Amino acid sequence: MPVPILLVTGFLGAGKTTVVNHLLAHAEGRRIAAIVNDFGAINIDAELIAGASDGVVSLANGCICCSLEGDLLRTLSTLLRRDPKPEHIVIETSGVADPADIVRNLMDPVILREAPLETVLCVIDAATPPTALEDSLQRSQLRVADIVALTKLDLADEGAGARMRQAIRALRLPAVVVDARHGEIPSALLFPANVERAPAPRDPGPKRPAEERFETLSWTSDRPISLPRLQQAIGRLAPKLARAKGLFETVEQPGRQMVFQFAAGRATLAPGDAPAAGVPRTRIVFIAELGVLSKAELDGIMDACVAGG
C-alpha cells in the first residue's frame, strides 16, 4: 500500500511547525511520520513519548518524528522500512527552501511508487504585506501549492486575511485558500480518502540556479541577560532579521529559561524548561539575508544585553 506524502512549505516564521504540531496532536488514529528541519520545535509532551531510536521519536498515539538531515530520499526509505509502516508522511521544508527542488526529488520513480506526493501545503502568515508575494522564493512556494493556509489571523488586523486572499487570487494560482487558526486545517483537505489511488506526477517547473540568499548567525552567553536590554536590542536588529529563535535565562527570572521567537516583525516569549547543564545560558540564532548583518554588529548589539555589560 503506498504511503502518501504531505509537503508543507512556507517562508521563515510562517507557522509551518504549528501546523505540523496540530496534525500530530490530532492524528485521529492515523500513523503519521513527520520529517522536519527543526526537530526541537516539535511540541512533544514527555508523557506522549513511547520510545526513541535511530533519531526517530515514537509517540504513544502511533505517530513518529525525525529530523530532515542529509538525503531526503534516504530518510524516506528508512521510514518506509519501519514496522508498522506509517500511513502518511508529512515533510516540513526549511523556510528558505525552494519546494520545487523537493518536488523534483519526490518524482523519483521508486519514491513515487511507494510514497507518492499527494498534497503540497503552503503556509503564509496573514499579516505578511501582499507586496512580499513578489519575492521569487515566496512565488515558488505558492506556485507548487495545492492548498494555501493563512495563519496567525488572531495576531493580524481585521482586513489582513482578505488582503492576502486577494493578492493570492491576483496570481491566478489553482490553490485552495483556507484559514488555519492556531494551525488547524481540516484533515480531509490534507489526507486522501483513498490511498490506493495514486496521484499524477507533478511538473515542478524549470530548475532554478541555486541561490545562497540567507545566512545564520548565532550569539551565546554564559551569563543571564537583561530583558529590557534584549527588547532594545531586538528593536535595533528587527529591520535586518528574517527570523530569530533561541533560549535564554534573564536577570529578572534567574534559574528559568525563556523560549524566544521572532518572525514577521513580531517577537514572542514563552516559559521553557530548566537550563541544561554544560550549555550556554543563552543561545540565540539569527537568520538574515546575506551581507545585511555582520557578526561584529550582532555581537556589539547583543553583548550589551548581558547584565553588568
PDB file of all heavy atoms in Angstrom, residues 150-173:
ATOM      1  N   LEU A 150      -3.668  30.339   5.626  1.00  0.00           N
ATOM      2  CA  LEU A 150      -3.357  31.630   6.248  1.00  0.00           C
ATOM      3  C   LEU A 150      -3.329  31.446   7.757  1.00  0.00           C
ATOM      4  O   LEU A 150      -4.332  31.057   8.371  1.00  0.00           O
ATOM      5  CB  LEU A 150      -4.398  32.682   5.863  1.00  0.00           C
ATOM      6  CG  LEU A 150      -4.552  32.965   4.367  1.00  0.00           C
ATOM      7  CD1 LEU A 150      -5.561  34.079   4.146  1.00  0.00           C
ATOM      8  CD2 LEU A 150      -3.213  33.316   3.736  1.00  0.00           C
ATOM      9  N   THR A 151      -2.182  31.724   8.371  1.00  0.00           N
ATOM     10  CA  THR A 151      -2.009  31.529   9.805  1.00  0.00           C
ATOM     11  C   THR A 151      -1.933  32.870  10.528  1.00  0.00           C
ATOM     12  O   THR A 151      -1.863  33.930   9.913  1.00  0.00           O
ATOM     13  CB  THR A 151      -0.720  30.743  10.086  1.00  0.00           C
ATOM     14  OG1 THR A 151       0.396  31.491   9.569  1.00  0.00           O
ATOM     15  CG2 THR A 151      -0.753  29.376   9.424  1.00  0.00           C
ATOM     16  N   LYS A 152      -1.949  32.798  11.859  1.00  0.00           N
ATOM     17  CA  LYS A 152      -1.758  33.944  12.749  1.00  0.00           C
ATOM     18  C   LYS A 152      -2.800  35.038  12.498  1.00  0.00           C
ATOM     19  O   LYS A 152      -2.529  36.227  12.668  1.00  0.00           O
ATOM     20  CB  LYS A 152      -0.333  34.504  12.621  1.00  0.00           C
ATOM     21  CG  LYS A 152       0.751  33.437  12.814  1.00  0.00           C
ATOM     22  CD  LYS A 152       2.139  34.009  12.803  1.00  0.00           C
ATOM     23  CE  LYS A 152       3.184  32.907  12.921  1.00  0.00           C
ATOM     24  NZ  LYS A 152       4.559  33.402  12.959  1.00  0.00           N
ATOM     25  N   LEU A 153      -3.995  34.626  12.128  1.00  0.00           N
ATOM     26  CA  LEU A 153      -5.069  35.593  11.891  1.00  0.00           C
ATOM     27  C   LEU A 153      -5.432  36.328  13.178  1.00  0.00           C
ATOM     28  O   LEU A 153      -5.884  37.477  13.132  1.00  0.00           O
ATOM     29  CB  LEU A 153      -6.298  34.879  11.323  1.00  0.00           C
ATOM     30  CG  LEU A 153      -6.146  34.396   9.871  1.00  0.00           C
ATOM     31  CD1 LEU A 153      -7.112  33.268   9.574  1.00  0.00           C
ATOM     32  CD2 LEU A 153      -6.349  35.542   8.910  1.00  0.00           C
ATOM     33  N   ASP A 154      -5.232  35.664  14.319  1.00  0.00           N
ATOM     34  CA  ASP A 154      -5.548  36.307  15.601  1.00  0.00           C
ATOM     35  C   ASP A 154      -4.561  37.422  15.919  1.00  0.00           C
ATOM     36  O   ASP A 154      -4.852  38.291  16.748  1.00  0.00           O
ATOM     37  CB  ASP A 154      -5.546  35.266  16.729  1.00  0.00           C
ATOM     38  CG  ASP A 154      -4.229  34.486  16.792  1.00  0.00           C
ATOM     39  OD1 ASP A 154      -3.708  34.132  15.725  1.00  0.00           O
ATOM     40  OD2 ASP A 154      -3.749  34.248  17.907  1.00  0.00           O
ATOM     41  N   LEU A 155      -3.393  37.425  15.258  1.00  0.00           N
ATOM     42  CA  LEU A 155      -2.384  38.455  15.514  1.00  0.00           C
ATOM     43  C   LEU A 155      -2.419  39.573  14.476  1.00  0.00           C
ATOM     44  O   LEU A 155      -1.751  40.589  14.643  1.00  0.00           O
ATOM     45  CB  LEU A 155      -0.984  37.822  15.532  1.00  0.00           C
ATOM     46  CG  LEU A 155      -0.766  36.706  16.559  1.00  0.00           C
ATOM     47  CD1 LEU A 155       0.624  36.104  16.400  1.00  0.00           C
ATOM     48  CD2 LEU A 155      -0.954  37.235  17.974  1.00  0.00           C
ATOM     49  N   ALA A 156      -3.159  39.365  13.404  1.00  0.00           N
ATOM     50  CA  ALA A 156      -3.208  40.343  12.310  1.00  0.00           C
ATOM     51  C   ALA A 156      -4.410  41.261  12.477  1.00  0.00           C
ATOM     52  O   ALA A 156      -5.347  40.953  13.216  1.00  0.00           O
ATOM     53  CB  ALA A 156      -3.271  39.621  10.974  1.00  0.00           C
ATOM     54  N   ASP A 157      -4.400  42.377  11.777  1.00  0.00           N
ATOM     55  CA  ASP A 157      -5.564  43.263  11.837  1.00  0.00           C
ATOM     56  C   ASP A 157      -6.713  42.645  11.055  1.00  0.00           C
ATOM     57  O   ASP A 157      -6.548  41.689  10.304  1.00  0.00           O
ATOM     58  CB  ASP A 157      -5.213  44.665  11.316  1.00  0.00           C
ATOM     59  CG  ASP A 157      -4.919  44.686   9.823  1.00  0.00           C
ATOM     60  OD1 ASP A 157      -5.842  44.464   9.028  1.00  0.00           O
ATOM     61  OD2 ASP A 157      -3.742  44.920   9.464  1.00  0.00           O
ATOM     62  N   GLU A 158      -7.893  43.227  11.219  1.00  0.00           N
ATOM     63  CA  GLU A 158      -9.119  42.590  10.740  1.00  0.00           C
ATOM     64  C   GLU A 158      -9.125  42.340   9.228  1.00  0.00           C
ATOM     65  O   GLU A 158      -9.648  41.342   8.756  1.00  0.00           O
ATOM     66  CB  GLU A 158     -10.331  43.466  11.113  1.00  0.00           C
ATOM     67  CG  GLU A 158     -11.664  42.780  10.897  1.00  0.00           C
ATOM     68  CD  GLU A 158     -12.813  43.601  11.445  1.00  0.00           C
ATOM     69  OE1 GLU A 158     -12.582  44.398  12.375  1.00  0.00           O
ATOM     70  OE2 GLU A 158     -13.935  43.445  10.934  1.00  0.00           O
ATOM     71  N   GLY A 159      -8.534  43.230   8.452  1.00  0.00           N
ATOM     72  CA  GLY A 159      -8.586  43.082   6.998  1.00  0.00           C
ATOM     73  C   GLY A 159      -7.417  42.344   6.393  1.00  0.00           C
ATOM     74  O   GLY A 159      -7.368  42.170   5.164  1.00  0.00           O
ATOM     75  N   ALA A 160      -6.470  41.866   7.227  1.00  0.00           N
ATOM     76  CA  ALA A 160      -5.246  41.257   6.693  1.00  0.00           C
ATOM     77  C   ALA A 160      -5.545  40.005   5.878  1.00  0.00           C
ATOM     78  O   ALA A 160      -4.990  39.811   4.789  1.00  0.00           O
ATOM     79  CB  ALA A 160      -4.284  40.939   7.832  1.00  0.00           C
ATOM     80  N   GLY A 161      -6.408  39.146   6.394  1.00  0.00           N
ATOM     81  CA  GLY A 161      -6.735  37.905   5.690  1.00  0.00           C
ATOM     82  C   GLY A 161      -7.336  38.175   4.318  1.00  0.00           C
ATOM     83  O   GLY A 161      -6.976  37.539   3.335  1.00  0.00           O
ATOM     84  N   ALA A 162      -8.260  39.139   4.262  1.00  0.00           N
ATOM     85  CA  ALA A 162      -8.910  39.468   2.994  1.00  0.00           C
ATOM     86  C   ALA A 162      -7.907  40.038   1.995  1.00  0.00           C
ATOM     87  O   ALA A 162      -7.948  39.711   0.802  1.00  0.00           O
ATOM     88  CB  ALA A 162     -10.050  40.463   3.237  1.00  0.00           C
ATOM     89  N   ARG A 163      -6.992  40.877   2.472  1.00  0.00           N
ATOM     90  CA  ARG A 163      -5.985  41.457   1.573  1.00  0.00           C
ATOM     91  C   ARG A 163      -5.070  40.378   1.015  1.00  0.00           C
ATOM     92  O   ARG A 163      -4.717  40.393  -0.172  1.00  0.00           O
ATOM     93  CB  ARG A 163      -5.167  42.527   2.309  1.00  0.00           C
ATOM     94  CG  ARG A 163      -5.949  43.797   2.617  1.00  0.00           C
ATOM     95  CD  ARG A 163      -5.015  44.915   3.062  1.00  0.00           C
ATOM     96  NE  ARG A 163      -4.318  44.614   4.306  1.00  0.00           N
ATOM     97  CZ  ARG A 163      -4.782  44.874   5.517  1.00  0.00           C
ATOM     98  NH1 ARG A 163      -5.964  45.452   5.662  1.00  0.00           N
ATOM     99  NH2 ARG A 163      -4.080  44.575   6.593  1.00  0.00           N
ATOM    100  N   MET A 164      -4.688  39.422   1.872  1.00  0.00           N
ATOM    101  CA  MET A 164      -3.802  38.365   1.416  1.00  0.00           C
ATOM    102  C   MET A 164      -4.519  37.437   0.427  1.00  0.00           C
ATOM    103  O   MET A 164      -3.950  37.018  -0.588  1.00  0.00           O
ATOM    104  CB  MET A 164      -3.267  37.569   2.614  1.00  0.00           C
ATOM    105  CG  MET A 164      -2.296  36.456   2.226  1.00  0.00           C
ATOM    106  SD  MET A 164      -0.912  37.016   1.185  1.00  0.00           S
ATOM    107  CE  MET A 164      -0.003  38.001   2.387  1.00  0.00           C
ATOM    108  N   ARG A 165      -5.784  37.127   0.697  1.00  0.00           N
ATOM    109  CA  ARG A 165      -6.557  36.298  -0.232  1.00  0.00           C
ATOM    110  C   ARG A 165      -6.633  36.962  -1.610  1.00  0.00           C
ATOM    111  O   ARG A 165      -6.482  36.320  -2.641  1.00  0.00           O
ATOM    112  CB  ARG A 165      -7.969  36.071   0.306  1.00  0.00           C
ATOM    113  CG  ARG A 165      -8.070  35.038   1.411  1.00  0.00           C
ATOM    114  CD  ARG A 165      -9.482  34.993   1.976  1.00  0.00           C
ATOM    115  NE  ARG A 165      -9.607  33.996   3.017  1.00  0.00           N
ATOM    116  CZ  ARG A 165      -9.957  32.731   2.806  1.00  0.00           C
ATOM    117  NH1 ARG A 165     -10.212  32.327   1.578  1.00  0.00           N
ATOM    118  NH2 ARG A 165     -10.060  31.875   3.797  1.00  0.00           N
ATOM    119  N   GLN A 166      -6.870  38.260  -1.601  1.00  0.00           N
ATOM    120  CA  GLN A 166      -6.965  38.999  -2.856  1.00  0.00           C
ATOM    121  C   GLN A 166      -5.634  38.972  -3.609  1.00  0.00           C
ATOM    122  O   GLN A 166      -5.602  38.799  -4.835  1.00  0.00           O
ATOM    123  CB  GLN A 166      -7.395  40.439  -2.585  1.00  0.00           C
ATOM    124  CG  GLN A 166      -7.635  41.266  -3.839  1.00  0.00           C
ATOM    125  CD  GLN A 166      -8.140  42.656  -3.510  1.00  0.00           C
ATOM    126  OE1 GLN A 166      -8.283  43.028  -2.347  1.00  0.00           O
ATOM    127  NE2 GLN A 166      -8.430  43.441  -4.533  1.00  0.00           N
ATOM    128  N   ALA A 167      -4.536  39.126  -2.874  1.00  0.00           N
ATOM    129  CA  ALA A 167      -3.215  39.102  -3.502  1.00  0.00           C
ATOM    130  C   ALA A 167      -2.913  37.733  -4.102  1.00  0.00           C
ATOM    131  O   ALA A 167      -2.319  37.627  -5.183  1.00  0.00           O
ATOM    132  CB  ALA A 167      -2.144  39.479  -2.476  1.00  0.00           C
ATOM    133  N   ILE A 168      -3.330  36.668  -3.412  1.00  0.00           N
ATOM    134  CA  ILE A 168      -3.103  35.312  -3.919  1.00  0.00           C
ATOM    135  C   ILE A 168      -3.970  35.070  -5.154  1.00  0.00           C
ATOM    136  O   ILE A 168      -3.507  34.490  -6.146  1.00  0.00           O
ATOM    137  CB  ILE A 168      -3.394  34.272  -2.816  1.00  0.00           C
ATOM    138  CG1 ILE A 168      -2.364  34.404  -1.683  1.00  0.00           C
ATOM    139  CG2 ILE A 168      -3.374  32.853  -3.391  1.00  0.00           C
ATOM    140  CD1 ILE A 168      -2.693  33.595  -0.455  1.00  0.00           C
ATOM    141  N   ARG A 169      -5.235  35.519  -5.114  1.00  0.00           N
ATOM    142  CA  ARG A 169      -6.111  35.371  -6.282  1.00  0.00           C
ATOM    143  C   ARG A 169      -5.546  36.089  -7.500  1.00  0.00           C
ATOM    144  O   ARG A 169      -5.658  35.611  -8.629  1.00  0.00           O
ATOM    145  CB  ARG A 169      -7.517  35.904  -5.971  1.00  0.00           C
ATOM    146  CG  ARG A 169      -8.410  34.938  -5.225  1.00  0.00           C
ATOM    147  CD  ARG A 169      -9.871  35.326  -5.359  1.00  0.00           C
ATOM    148  NE  ARG A 169     -10.123  36.668  -4.846  1.00  0.00           N
ATOM    149  CZ  ARG A 169     -10.455  36.943  -3.597  1.00  0.00           C
ATOM    150  NH1 ARG A 169     -10.579  35.947  -2.724  1.00  0.00           N
ATOM    151  NH2 ARG A 169     -10.678  38.176  -3.206  1.00  0.00           N
ATOM    152  N   ALA A 170      -4.910  37.233  -7.257  1.00  0.00           N
ATOM    153  CA  ALA A 170      -4.343  38.010  -8.365  1.00  0.00           C
ATOM    154  C   ALA A 170      -3.234  37.252  -9.085  1.00  0.00           C
ATOM    155  O   ALA A 170      -2.940  37.530 -10.249  1.00  0.00           O
ATOM    156  CB  ALA A 170      -3.818  39.348  -7.843  1.00  0.00           C
ATOM    157  N   LEU A 171      -2.617  36.287  -8.401  1.00  0.00           N
ATOM    158  CA  LEU A 171      -1.563  35.488  -9.029  1.00  0.00           C
ATOM    159  C   LEU A 171      -2.133  34.373  -9.901  1.00  0.00           C
ATOM    160  O   LEU A 171      -1.377  33.667 -10.565  1.00  0.00           O
ATOM    161  CB  LEU A 171      -0.655  34.881  -7.944  1.00  0.00           C
ATOM    162  CG  LEU A 171       0.115  35.872  -7.074  1.00  0.00           C
ATOM    163  CD1 LEU A 171       0.888  35.128  -5.982  1.00  0.00           C
ATOM    164  CD2 LEU A 171       1.062  36.704  -7.920  1.00  0.00           C
ATOM    165  N   ARG A 172      -3.465  34.210  -9.845  1.00  0.00           N
ATOM    166  CA  ARG A 172      -4.162  33.195 -10.649  1.00  0.00           C
ATOM    167  C   ARG A 172      -3.606  31.787 -10.401  1.00  0.00           C
ATOM    168  O   ARG A 172      -3.299  31.037 -11.332  1.00  0.00           O
ATOM    169  CB  ARG A 172      -4.109  33.541 -12.137  1.00  0.00           C
ATOM    170  CG  ARG A 172      -4.748  34.879 -12.467  1.00  0.00           C
ATOM    171  CD  ARG A 172      -4.834  35.122 -13.962  1.00  0.00           C
ATOM    172  NE  ARG A 172      -5.431  36.419 -14.251  1.00  0.00           N
ATOM    173  CZ  ARG A 172      -6.736  36.683 -14.258  1.00  0.00           C
ATOM    174  NH1 ARG A 172      -7.583  35.718 -13.964  1.00  0.00           N
ATOM    175  NH2 ARG A 172      -7.196  37.889 -14.541  1.00  0.00           N
ATOM    176  N   LEU A 173      -3.469  31.469  -9.129  1.00  0.00           N
ATOM    177  CA  LEU A 173      -2.980  30.149  -8.743  1.00  0.00           C
ATOM    178  C   LEU A 173      -4.157  29.185  -8.604  1.00  0.00           C
ATOM    179  O   LEU A 173      -5.260  29.593  -8.231  1.00  0.00           O
ATOM    180  CB  LEU A 173      -2.233  30.236  -7.406  1.00  0.00           C
ATOM    181  CG  LEU A 173      -1.013  31.155  -7.383  1.00  0.00           C
ATOM    182  CD1 LEU A 173      -0.526  31.351  -5.958  1.00  0.00           C
ATOM    183  CD2 LEU A 173       0.099  30.585  -8.248  1.00  0.00           C
TER     184      LEU A 173
END
